[in-house]
Amino acid sequence: MESISKECTPLKQEYDACFTKWYSEKFLQGEKTNDCAELFKQYQTCLKKALKEKGLTKMIADARPAIGSVYKDDLLDADEDKAQQQRESNKP
């Protein structure tokens, strides 16, 4: 399956493969150490960049309280987007 951004698809595929292997070979056997954590961080960074570029960060942050979830990174990104919009609107 493709990622939301073509640039993130290779990382997604690599993470998916790593997670599937870890889950089936280690987690289900009782090992809790996540071998894919660093790969997930890389993929997450790519996703955050893609969501921001697509203008979806604020929409996601606004939707989270409606489902009872507040993810602080999204809120920080939305605040950053809002501040950037204000700076741009104040340019002569």
Side-chain angles (χ1 to χ4, degrees):
M1 177 183 272
E2 297 281 320
S3 181
I4 191 168
S5 171
K6 288 186 182 207
E7 293 82 20
C8 299
T9 296
L11 281 170
K12 180 189 183 311
Q13 292 170 341
E14 190 175 351
Y15 172 72
D16 286 349
C18 180
F19 180 84
T20 299
K21 181 177 179 172
W22 167 79
Y23 184 79
S24 63
E25 295 178 8
K26 294 186 178 179
F27 181 78
L28 292 178
Q29 305 305 318
E31 188 176 323
K32 305 293 188 233
T33 304
N34 187 345
D35 297 342
C36 308
E38 185 57 38
L39 192 52
F40 176 75
K41 287 179 187 177
Q42 293 172 20
Y43 178 48
Q44 185 180 43
T45 298
C46 187
L47 284 176
K48 285 181 180 183
K49 181 181 177 218
L51 291 171
K52 190 171 189 173
E53 288 172 356
K54 293 177 183 285
L56 298 173
T57 306
K58 183 179 179 337
M59 181 181 70
I60 292 169
D62 290 347
R64 285 197 184 274
I67 62 168
S69 173
V70 178
Y71 186 68
K72 293 183 182 191
D73 283 352
D74 286 345
L75 295 177
L76 294 174
D77 290 344
D79 289 342
E80 183 181 314
D81 290 346
K82 189 175 186 180
Q84 179 64 31
Q85 289 172 351
Q86 288 176 343
R87 285 191 295 270
E88 289 174 2
S89 67
N90 291 332
K91 287 182 180 177

Coordinates of all heavy atoms in Angstrom, one line a residue:
M1 N 0.8 -1.2 0.0 CA 0.0 0.0 0.0 C 0.9 1.2 0.0 O 1.9 1.3 0.7 CB -0.9 0.0 1.2 CG -1.8 1.2 1.3 SD -2.8 1.3 2.8 CE -4.2 0.4 2.2
E2 N 0.5 2.2 -0.8 CA 1.2 3.5 -0.9 C 1.0 4.3 0.4 O 0.0 4.2 1.1 CB 0.7 4.3 -2.1 CG 0.9 3.6 -3.4 CD 2.3 3.8 -3.9 OE1 2.9 4.9 -3.7 OE2 2.8 2.8 -4.5
S3 N 2.0 5.2 0.7 CA 1.9 6.1 1.7 C 1.1 7.4 1.2 O 0.9 7.5 0.0 CB 3.3 6.6 2.2 OG 3.2 7.5 3.3
I4 N 0.8 8.3 2.1 CA 0.1 9.5 1.7 C 1.0 10.4 0.8 O 0.5 11.2 0.0 CB -0.4 10.3 2.9 CG1 -1.3 11.4 2.5 CG2 0.8 10.9 3.7 CD1 -2.1 12.1 3.6
S5 N 2.3 10.1 0.8 CA 3.2 10.9 0.0 C 4.2 9.8 -0.7 O 4.7 8.9 0.0 CB 4.0 11.8 0.9 OG 5.1 12.4 0.1
K6 N 4.4 10.0 -1.9 CA 5.3 9.1 -2.7 C 6.7 9.1 -2.1 O 7.3 8.0 -2.1 CB 5.3 9.5 -4.1 CG 4.1 9.1 -4.9 CD 4.2 9.4 -6.4 CE 2.9 9.1 -7.0 NZ 3.0 8.7 -8.4
E7 N 7.1 10.2 -1.5 CA 8.4 10.2 -0.9 C 8.5 9.3 0.3 O 9.6 8.9 0.7 CB 8.8 11.7 -0.5 CG 9.0 12.6 -1.7 CD 7.7 13.2 -2.2 OE1 6.7 13.2 -1.5 OE2 7.7 13.6 -3.4
C8 N 7.4 9.1 1.0 CA 7.3 8.3 2.2 C 7.1 6.8 1.9 O 7.3 6.0 2.9 CB 6.3 8.8 3.1 SG 6.5 10.5 3.7
T9 N 6.7 6.5 0.7 CA 6.3 5.1 0.5 C 7.4 4.1 0.7 O 7.2 3.1 1.3 CB 5.8 5.0 -1.0 OG1 4.6 5.7 -1.1 CG2 5.5 3.5 -1.3
P10 N 8.7 4.4 0.3 CA 9.8 3.4 0.6 C 9.9 3.2 2.1 O 10.1 2.0 2.6 CB 11.0 4.0 0.0 CG 10.5 4.9 -1.1 CD 9.2 5.4 -0.6
L11 N 9.9 4.2 2.9 CA 10.0 4.1 4.4 C 8.8 3.3 4.9 O 9.0 2.5 5.8 CB 10.0 5.5 5.0 CG 11.4 6.2 5.0 CD1 11.3 7.6 5.5 CD2 12.4 5.4 5.8
K12 N 7.6 3.6 4.4 CA 6.4 2.9 4.9 C 6.6 1.4 4.6 O 6.3 0.5 5.5 CB 5.2 3.4 4.2 CG 3.9 2.6 4.6 CD 2.7 3.0 3.8 CE 1.4 2.4 4.2 NZ 1.5 0.9 4.5
Q13 N 7.0 1.0 3.4 CA 7.1 -0.4 3.0 C 8.2 -1.1 3.9 O 8.0 -2.2 4.4 CB 7.5 -0.5 1.6 CG 6.3 -0.1 0.7 CD 6.7 0.0 -0.8 OE1 7.8 0.1 -1.2 NE2 5.6 0.0 -1.6
E14 N 9.3 -0.4 4.2 CA 10.4 -0.9 5.0 C 9.9 -1.1 6.4 O 10.1 -2.1 7.1 CB 11.6 0.0 5.0 CG 12.8 -0.6 5.6 CD 14.0 0.3 5.4 OE1 14.0 1.3 4.7 OE2 15.0 0.0 6.1
Y15 N 9.1 -0.1 6.9 CA 8.6 -0.2 8.3 C 7.6 -1.3 8.4 O 7.6 -2.1 9.4 CB 8.0 1.2 8.8 CG 7.3 1.0 10.1 CD1 8.0 0.8 11.3 CD2 5.9 1.0 10.1 CE1 7.3 0.6 12.5 CE2 5.2 0.8 11.3 CZ 6.0 0.6 12.5 OH 5.3 0.4 13.7
D16 N 6.7 -1.4 7.4 CA 5.6 -2.4 7.4 C 6.3 -3.8 7.5 O 5.8 -4.7 8.3 CB 4.7 -2.3 6.2 CG 3.7 -1.2 6.3 OD1 3.6 -0.6 7.4 OD2 3.1 -0.9 5.2
A17 N 7.3 -4.0 6.7 CA 8.0 -5.3 6.7 C 8.7 -5.6 8.0 O 8.6 -6.7 8.5 CB 9.0 -5.4 5.5
C18 N 9.3 -4.6 8.5 CA 10.0 -4.7 9.8 C 9.0 -5.0 10.9 O 9.2 -6.0 11.7 CB 10.7 -3.4 10.2 SG 11.6 -3.5 11.7
F19 N 7.9 -4.3 11.0 CA 6.9 -4.5 12.0 C 6.2 -5.9 11.9 O 6.1 -6.6 12.9 CB 5.8 -3.4 11.9 CG 4.7 -3.6 13.0 CD1 4.9 -3.1 14.2 CD2 3.6 -4.3 12.7 CE1 3.9 -3.3 15.2 CE2 2.6 -4.5 13.7 CZ 2.8 -4.0 14.9
T20 N 5.9 -6.3 10.7 CA 5.3 -7.6 10.5 C 6.2 -8.7 11.0 O 5.8 -9.6 11.7 CB 4.9 -7.8 9.1 OG1 4.0 -6.8 8.7 CG2 4.3 -9.2 8.8
K21 N 7.5 -8.6 10.7 CA 8.5 -9.6 11.1 C 8.6 -9.6 12.6 O 8.6 -10.6 13.3 CB 9.8 -9.4 10.4 CG 10.8 -10.4 10.8 CD 12.1 -10.2 10.1 CE 13.1 -11.2 10.5 NZ 14.3 -11.2 9.8
W22 N 8.8 -8.4 13.2 CA 9.0 -8.2 14.7 C 7.7 -8.8 15.4 O 7.9 -9.5 16.4 CB 9.2 -6.8 15.0 CG 9.1 -6.5 16.5 CD1 10.0 -6.8 17.4 CD2 7.9 -6.0 17.2 NE1 9.5 -6.4 18.7 CE2 8.3 -5.9 18.5 CE3 6.7 -5.5 16.8 CZ2 7.4 -5.5 19.5 CZ3 5.8 -5.1 17.7 CH2 6.1 -5.0 19.1
Y23 N 6.6 -8.4 14.9 CA 5.3 -8.8 15.6 C 5.2 -10.3 15.6 O 4.9 -10.9 16.7 CB 4.1 -8.1 14.9 CG 2.8 -8.4 15.6 CD1 2.5 -7.7 16.8 CD2 2.0 -9.4 15.1 CE1 1.3 -8.0 17.4 CE2 0.8 -9.7 15.8 CZ 0.4 -9.0 16.9 OH -0.8 -9.3 17.6
S24 N 5.4 -10.9 14.5 CA 5.1 -12.4 14.4 C 6.3 -13.2 15.0 O 6.0 -14.2 15.6 CB 4.9 -12.8 12.9 OG 6.1 -12.5 12.2
E25 N 7.5 -12.7 14.9 CA 8.6 -13.5 15.3 C 9.1 -13.2 16.8 O 9.7 -14.0 17.4 CB 9.8 -13.4 14.4 CG 9.5 -13.9 13.0 CD 10.7 -13.7 12.1 OE1 11.8 -13.3 12.5 OE2 10.5 -14.0 10.9
K26 N 8.8 -12.0 17.3 CA 9.3 -11.6 18.6 C 8.1 -11.3 19.5 O 8.0 -11.9 20.6 CB 10.2 -10.5 18.5 CG 11.5 -10.9 17.7 CD 12.5 -9.8 17.8 CE 13.8 -10.3 17.1 NZ 14.8 -9.3 17.0
F27 N 7.3 -10.3 19.2 CA 6.2 -9.9 20.1 C 5.3 -11.0 20.5 O 5.0 -11.2 21.7 CB 5.4 -8.7 19.5 CG 4.3 -8.2 20.4 CD1 4.6 -7.4 21.4 CD2 3.0 -8.6 20.2 CE1 3.7 -6.9 22.2 CE2 2.0 -8.1 21.0 CZ 2.3 -7.3 22.1
L28 N 4.9 -11.8 19.6 CA 4.0 -12.9 19.9 C 4.7 -14.0 20.7 O 4.0 -14.8 21.3 CB 3.4 -13.5 18.6 CG 2.4 -12.6 17.9 CD1 1.9 -13.3 16.6 CD2 1.2 -12.2 18.8
Q29 N 6.0 -14.0 20.7 CA 6.8 -14.9 21.6 C 7.1 -14.3 22.9 O 7.8 -14.9 23.7 CB 8.0 -15.3 20.8 CG 7.8 -15.8 19.4 CD 6.9 -17.0 19.4 OE1 6.9 -17.9 20.2 NE2 6.0 -17.0 18.4
G30 N 6.6 -13.1 23.2 CA 6.8 -12.5 24.5 C 7.8 -11.4 24.6 O 8.0 -10.8 25.6
E31 N 8.6 -11.2 23.5 CA 9.6 -10.2 23.5 C 9.0 -8.8 23.2 O 8.3 -8.6 22.2 CB 10.7 -10.5 22.5 CG 11.9 -9.5 22.6 CD 13.0 -9.9 21.7 OE1 13.3 -11.1 21.4 OE2 13.6 -8.9 21.2
K32 N 9.2 -7.9 24.1 CA 8.5 -6.6 24.0 C 9.4 -5.5 23.3 O 8.9 -4.4 23.0 CB 8.0 -6.1 25.3 CG 7.2 -7.1 26.1 CD 5.8 -7.3 25.4 CE 4.9 -8.1 26.2 NZ 4.3 -9.2 25.6
T33 N 10.7 -5.7 23.2 CA 11.6 -4.7 22.6 C 11.2 -4.5 21.1 O 11.2 -5.5 20.4 CB 13.1 -5.2 22.7 OG1 13.4 -5.4 24.1 CG2 14.0 -4.1 22.2
N34 N 11.0 -3.3 20.8 CA 10.5 -3.0 19.4 C 11.8 -2.7 18.5 O 12.4 -1.7 18.7 CB 9.6 -1.8 19.4 CG 9.0 -1.5 18.0 OD1 9.4 -2.0 17.0 ND2 8.0 -0.7 18.0
D35 N 12.0 -3.6 17.6 CA 13.2 -3.5 16.8 C 13.0 -2.4 15.7 O 13.9 -2.1 15.0 CB 13.5 -4.8 16.0 CG 13.8 -5.9 17.0 OD1 14.2 -5.6 18.2 OD2 13.7 -7.1 16.6
C36 N 11.8 -1.9 15.5 CA 11.5 -1.1 14.4 C 11.3 0.4 14.8 O 10.8 1.2 14.0 CB 10.2 -1.6 13.7 SG 10.3 -3.3 13.2
A37 N 11.6 0.7 16.1 CA 11.3 2.1 16.6 C 12.0 3.2 15.8 O 11.3 4.2 15.5 CB 11.6 2.1 18.1
E38 N 13.2 3.0 15.5 CA 14.0 4.0 14.8 C 13.4 4.2 13.4 O 13.3 5.3 12.9 CB 15.5 3.7 14.7 CG 16.3 4.8 14.1 CD 16.2 6.2 14.8 OE1 16.1 6.2 16.0 OE2 16.1 7.2 14.0
L39 N 13.1 3.1 12.7 CA 12.5 3.2 11.4 C 11.1 3.9 11.4 O 10.8 4.7 10.5 CB 12.4 1.8 10.8 CG 12.0 1.6 9.4 CD1 13.0 2.4 8.5 CD2 12.1 0.1 9.0
F40 N 10.4 3.6 12.5 CA 9.1 4.3 12.6 C 9.3 5.8 12.8 O 8.5 6.6 12.2 CB 8.3 3.7 13.9 CG 7.0 4.5 14.1 CD1 5.9 4.2 13.3 CD2 6.9 5.4 15.1 CE1 4.7 4.9 13.5 CE2 5.7 6.1 15.3 CZ 4.6 5.9 14.5
K41 N 10.3 6.2 13.6 CA 10.5 7.7 13.7 C 10.8 8.3 12.4 O 10.4 9.4 12.1 CB 11.7 7.9 14.7 CG 11.3 7.6 16.1 CD 12.5 7.8 17.1 CE 12.2 7.4 18.5 NZ 13.3 7.5 19.4
Q42 N 11.6 7.6 11.6 CA 12.0 8.2 10.3 C 10.7 8.3 9.4 O 10.5 9.3 8.7 CB 13.0 7.3 9.6 CG 14.3 7.2 10.2 CD 15.3 6.2 9.6 OE1 15.0 5.7 8.5 NE2 16.3 5.8 10.3
Y43 N 9.9 7.3 9.4 CA 8.6 7.3 8.6 C 7.7 8.4 9.2 O 7.1 9.2 8.4 CB 8.0 5.9 8.7 CG 6.6 5.8 7.9 CD1 6.5 6.4 6.7 CD2 5.5 5.3 8.5 CE1 5.3 6.3 6.0 CE2 4.3 5.2 7.9 CZ 4.2 5.7 6.6 OH 3.0 5.6 5.9
Q44 N 7.6 8.5 10.5 CA 6.8 9.5 11.1 C 7.2 10.9 10.7 O 6.4 11.8 10.4 CB 6.8 9.3 12.6 CG 5.8 10.3 13.3 CD 5.9 10.1 14.8 OE1 7.0 9.9 15.4 NE2 4.7 10.0 15.5
T45 N 8.5 11.1 10.7 CA 9.0 12.5 10.3 C 8.7 12.8 8.8 O 8.2 13.9 8.5 CB 10.6 12.5 10.5 OG1 10.9 12.3 11.8 CG2 11.2 13.8 10.0
C46 N 8.8 11.8 8.0 CA 8.4 12.0 6.6 C 6.9 12.3 6.5 O 6.5 13.2 5.7 CB 8.7 10.7 5.8 SG 8.5 10.9 4.0
L47 N 6.1 11.5 7.2 CA 4.6 11.8 7.2 C 4.3 13.2 7.7 O 3.4 13.8 7.1 CB 3.9 10.7 8.1 CG 3.7 9.4 7.5 CD1 3.1 8.4 8.5 CD2 2.9 9.4 6.2
K48 N 4.9 13.6 8.8 CA 4.6 14.9 9.3 C 4.9 16.0 8.3 O 4.1 16.9 8.1 CB 5.4 15.2 10.6 CG 4.8 14.5 11.8 CD 5.6 14.8 13.0 CE 5.0 14.1 14.2 NZ 5.8 14.4 15.4
K49 N 6.0 15.8 7.6 CA 6.4 16.8 6.5 C 5.4 16.8 5.4 O 4.9 17.8 4.9 CB 7.8 16.5 6.0 CG 8.3 17.4 4.9 CD 9.7 17.0 4.4 CE 10.1 18.0 3.3 NZ 10.8 17.3 2.3
A50 N 5.0 15.6 5.0 CA 4.0 15.5 3.9 C 2.6 16.1 4.3 O 2.0 16.8 3.5 CB 3.8 14.0 3.5
L51 N 2.2 15.8 5.5 CA 0.9 16.3 6.0 C 0.9 17.8 6.0 O 0.0 18.5 5.6 CB 0.5 15.8 7.3 CG 0.2 14.3 7.3 CD1 0.1 13.8 8.8 CD2 -1.1 14.0 6.6
K52 N 2.1 18.4 6.5 CA 2.2 19.8 6.5 C 2.2 20.4 5.1 O 1.5 21.4 4.9 CB 3.5 20.2 7.3 CG 3.7 21.6 7.6 CD 4.9 21.8 8.5 CE 4.9 23.2 9.0 NZ 5.9 23.5 10.0
E53 N 2.9 19.8 4.2 CA 3.0 20.3 2.8 C 1.6 20.3 2.2 O 1.3 21.1 1.3 CB 4.0 19.5 2.0 CG 5.4 19.8 2.4 CD 6.4 18.9 1.7 OE1 6.0 17.9 1.0 OE2 7.6 19.1 1.9
K54 N 0.8 19.3 2.5 CA -0.6 19.2 2.0 C -1.6 20.0 2.7 O -2.8 20.0 2.3 CB -1.0 17.7 2.0 CG -0.2 16.8 1.0 CD -0.6 15.4 1.1 CE 0.3 14.5 0.2 NZ 0.0 14.6 -1.2
G55 N -1.2 20.7 3.8 CA -2.1 21.6 4.5 C -3.0 20.8 5.4 O -4.1 21.3 5.7
L56 N -2.7 19.6 5.8 CA -3.6 18.8 6.6 C -3.4 18.8 8.1 O -4.2 18.3 8.8 CB -3.5 17.3 6.1 CG -3.9 17.1 4.6 CD1 -3.7 15.7 4.2 CD2 -5.4 17.5 4.4
T57 N -2.3 19.4 8.5 CA -1.9 19.3 9.9 C -3.0 20.0 10.8 O -3.4 19.4 11.8 CB -0.5 20.1 10.1 OG1 0.4 19.5 9.3 CG2 -0.1 19.9 11.6
K58 N -3.4 21.2 10.4 CA -4.4 21.9 11.2 C -5.7 21.1 11.3 O -6.4 21.0 12.3 CB -4.7 23.3 10.7 CG -5.7 24.0 11.6 CD -5.9 25.4 11.1 CE -6.9 26.2 11.9 NZ -7.8 25.6 12.7
M59 N -6.1 20.5 10.1 CA -7.4 19.8 10.1 C -7.3 18.6 11.0 O -8.3 18.3 11.8 CB -7.7 19.3 8.7 CG -9.0 18.5 8.5 SD -9.3 17.9 6.9 CE -8.0 16.7 6.7
I60 N -6.2 17.9 11.0 CA -6.0 16.7 11.9 C -6.0 17.2 13.4 O -6.7 16.6 14.2 CB -4.7 16.0 11.6 CG1 -4.8 15.3 10.2 CG2 -4.4 15.0 12.7 CD1 -3.5 14.8 9.7
A61 N -5.3 18.3 13.7 CA -5.3 18.8 15.1 C -6.7 19.2 15.5 O -7.1 19.0 16.7 CB -4.3 19.9 15.2
D62 N -7.5 19.8 14.6 CA -8.8 20.2 15.0 C -9.7 19.1 15.2 O -10.7 19.1 16.0 CB -9.4 21.1 13.9 CG -8.7 22.5 13.8 OD1 -8.0 22.9 14.7 OD2 -8.9 23.2 12.8
A63 N -9.5 18.0 14.5 CA -10.4 16.8 14.6 C -10.1 16.0 15.8 O -11.0 15.3 16.3 CB -10.2 15.9 13.4
R64 N -8.9 16.0 16.3 CA -8.5 15.1 17.5 C -9.4 15.3 18.7 O -9.9 14.3 19.3 CB -7.1 15.3 17.8 CG -6.2 14.6 16.8 CD -4.8 14.4 17.4 NE -3.9 13.9 16.4 CZ -3.7 12.6 16.3 NH1 -4.4 11.7 17.0 NH2 -2.9 12.1 15.3
P65 N -9.7 16.5 19.2 CA -10.6 16.7 20.3 C -12.0 16.1 20.2 O -12.6 15.6 21.1 CB -10.7 18.2 20.6 CG -9.4 18.7 19.9 CD -9.2 17.8 18.7
A66 N -12.5 16.1 18.9 CA -13.8 15.5 18.7 C -13.9 14.0 18.9 O -14.9 13.5 19.2 CB -14.2 15.8 17.2
I67 N -12.7 13.4 18.9 CA -12.7 11.9 19.1 C -12.1 11.6 20.5 O -11.8 10.5 20.8 CB -12.0 11.2 18.0 CG1 -10.5 11.6 17.9 CG2 -12.7 11.3 16.7 CD1 -9.7 10.7 17.0
G68 N -11.8 12.7 21.3 CA -11.3 12.5 22.6 C -9.8 12.3 22.6 O -9.2 11.8 23.6
S69 N -9.1 12.8 21.6 CA -7.6 12.6 21.5 C -7.0 13.9 21.2 O -7.4 14.7 20.4 CB -7.3 11.6 20.4 OG -5.9 11.5 20.2
V70 N -5.9 14.2 21.9 CA -5.1 15.4 21.7 C -3.7 14.9 21.6 O -3.1 14.5 22.6 CB -5.3 16.5 22.7 CG1 -4.4 17.7 22.4 CG2 -6.7 16.9 22.8
Y71 N -3.1 15.0 20.4 CA -1.7 14.6 20.2 C -0.9 15.9 20.1 O -1.1 16.7 19.2 CB -1.6 13.8 18.9 CG -0.3 13.2 18.6 CD1 0.3 12.2 19.5 CD2 0.5 13.7 17.6 CE1 1.5 11.7 19.2 CE2 1.8 13.2 17.3 CZ 2.3 12.2 18.2 OH 3.5 11.6 17.9
K72 N -0.1 16.2 21.1 CA 0.6 17.5 21.2 C 1.4 17.9 20.0 O 1.4 19.0 19.7 CB 1.4 17.5 22.5 CG 0.6 17.4 23.7 CD 1.4 17.5 25.0 CE 0.5 17.4 26.2 NZ 1.0 17.8 27.4
D73 N 2.1 16.9 19.4 CA 2.9 17.3 18.2 C 2.0 17.9 17.1 O 2.4 18.9 16.5 CB 3.6 16.0 17.6 CG 4.8 15.7 18.4 OD1 5.2 16.4 19.3 OD2 5.4 14.6 18.1
D74 N 0.8 17.4 16.9 CA -0.1 17.9 15.9 C -0.5 19.4 16.3 O -0.6 20.2 15.5 CB -1.4 17.1 15.8 CG -1.2 15.8 15.0 OD1 -0.1 15.7 14.4 OD2 -2.1 15.0 15.1
L75 N -0.8 19.6 17.6 CA -1.2 20.9 18.0 C 0.0 21.9 17.9 O -0.2 23.0 17.4 CB -1.6 20.9 19.5 CG -2.9 20.0 19.8 CD1 -3.2 20.0 21.2 CD2 -4.1 20.6 19.0
L76 N 1.2 21.4 18.2 CA 2.3 22.3 18.0 C 2.5 22.6 16.5 O 2.8 23.8 16.1 CB 3.6 21.7 18.5 CG 3.6 21.5 20.0 CD1 4.9 20.7 20.4 CD2 3.6 22.8 20.7
D77 N 2.3 21.6 15.6 CA 2.5 21.9 14.2 C 1.4 22.8 13.7 O 1.6 23.7 12.9 CB 2.4 20.5 13.4 CG 3.6 19.7 13.6 OD1 4.6 20.2 14.1 OD2 3.5 18.5 13.3
A78 N 0.1 22.7 14.2 CA -1.0 23.5 13.9 C -0.7 25.0 14.3 O -0.9 25.9 13.6 CB -2.3 23.0 14.4
D79 N -0.2 25.1 15.6 CA 0.2 26.4 16.0 C 1.3 27.1 15.2 O 1.2 28.2 14.9 CB 0.6 26.4 17.5 CG -0.5 26.1 18.5 OD1 -1.7 26.3 18.1 OD2 -0.2 25.7 19.6
E80 N 2.2 26.2 14.8 CA 3.3 26.7 13.9 C 2.7 27.2 12.6 O 3.1 28.2 12.0 CB 4.3 25.6 13.7 CG 5.5 26.0 12.9 CD 6.5 24.9 12.8 OE1 6.8 24.2 13.8 OE2 7.0 24.7 11.6
D81 N 1.8 26.4 12.0 CA 1.2 26.7 10.7 C 0.4 28.0 10.9 O 0.5 28.9 10.0 CB 0.2 25.6 10.3 CG 1.0 24.4 9.8 OD1 2.2 24.4 9.6 OD2 0.3 23.3 9.7
K82 N -0.3 28.2 12.0 CA -1.1 29.4 12.2 C -0.2 30.6 12.3 O -0.5 31.6 11.7 CB -1.9 29.2 13.5 CG -3.0 30.3 13.7 CD -3.8 29.9 14.9 CE -4.9 30.9 15.2 NZ -5.7 30.5 16.3
A83 N 0.9 30.5 13.0 CA 1.9 31.6 13.2 C 2.5 31.9 11.8 O 2.6 33.1 11.5 CB 3.0 31.2 14.2
Q84 N 2.8 30.9 11.0 CA 3.3 31.2 9.7 C 2.3 31.9 8.8 O 2.7 32.9 8.1 CB 3.8 29.9 9.0 CG 4.3 30.0 7.6 CD 5.6 30.8 7.6 OE1 6.4 30.8 8.5 NE2 5.9 31.6 6.5
Q85 N 1.1 31.5 8.9 CA 0.0 32.2 8.1 C -0.1 33.6 8.6 O -0.3 34.5 7.7 CB -1.3 31.5 8.3 CG -1.3 30.1 7.6 CD -2.6 29.3 7.9 OE1 -3.4 29.7 8.7 NE2 -2.8 28.2 7.2
Q86 N 0.0 33.9 9.9 CA -0.1 35.3 10.4 C 1.1 36.1 9.9 O 0.9 37.2 9.5 CB -0.2 35.3 11.9 CG -1.6 34.8 12.4 CD -1.6 34.7 13.9 OE1 -0.6 34.7 14.6 NE2 -2.8 34.6 14.5
R87 N 2.3 35.5 9.9 CA 3.4 36.2 9.4 C 3.3 36.6 8.0 O 3.6 37.7 7.5 CB 4.7 35.4 9.7 CG 5.2 35.3 11.1 CD 6.6 34.7 11.2 NE 6.6 33.3 10.9 CZ 6.4 32.3 11.7 NH1 6.1 32.5 12.9 NH2 6.5 31.1 11.2
E88 N 2.8 35.6 7.2 CA 2.6 35.9 5.8 C 1.6 36.9 5.5 O 1.7 37.7 4.5 CB 2.3 34.6 5.0 CG 3.5 33.6 5.0 CD 3.1 32.3 4.4 OE1 2.0 32.0 4.0 OE2 4.1 31.4 4.4
S89 N 0.5 37.0 6.3 CA -0.5 37.9 6.0 C -0.1 39.3 6.5 O -0.7 40.3 6.0 CB -1.8 37.5 6.8 OG -1.7 37.6 8.2
N90 N 0.9 39.4 7.3 CA 1.4 40.7 7.8 C 2.5 41.3 6.9 O 3.0 42.4 7.1 CB 1.9 40.6 9.2 CG 0.8 40.4 10.2 OD1 -0.4 40.8 10.0 ND2 1.1 39.8 11.3
K91 N 2.9 40.6 5.9 CA 3.9 41.0 5.0 C 3.4 42.2 4.1 O 2.2 42.1 3.7 CB 4.4 39.9 4.0 CG 5.3 38.9 4.8 CD 5.8 37.9 3.8 CE 6.7 36.9 4.5 NZ 7.1 35.8 3.5
P92 N 4.2 43.2 3.9 CA 3.7 44.3 3.0 C 3.6 44.0 1.6 O 4.0 43.1 1.1 CB 4.9 45.4 3.2 CG 6.0 44.7 3.9 CD 5.5 43.4 4.4

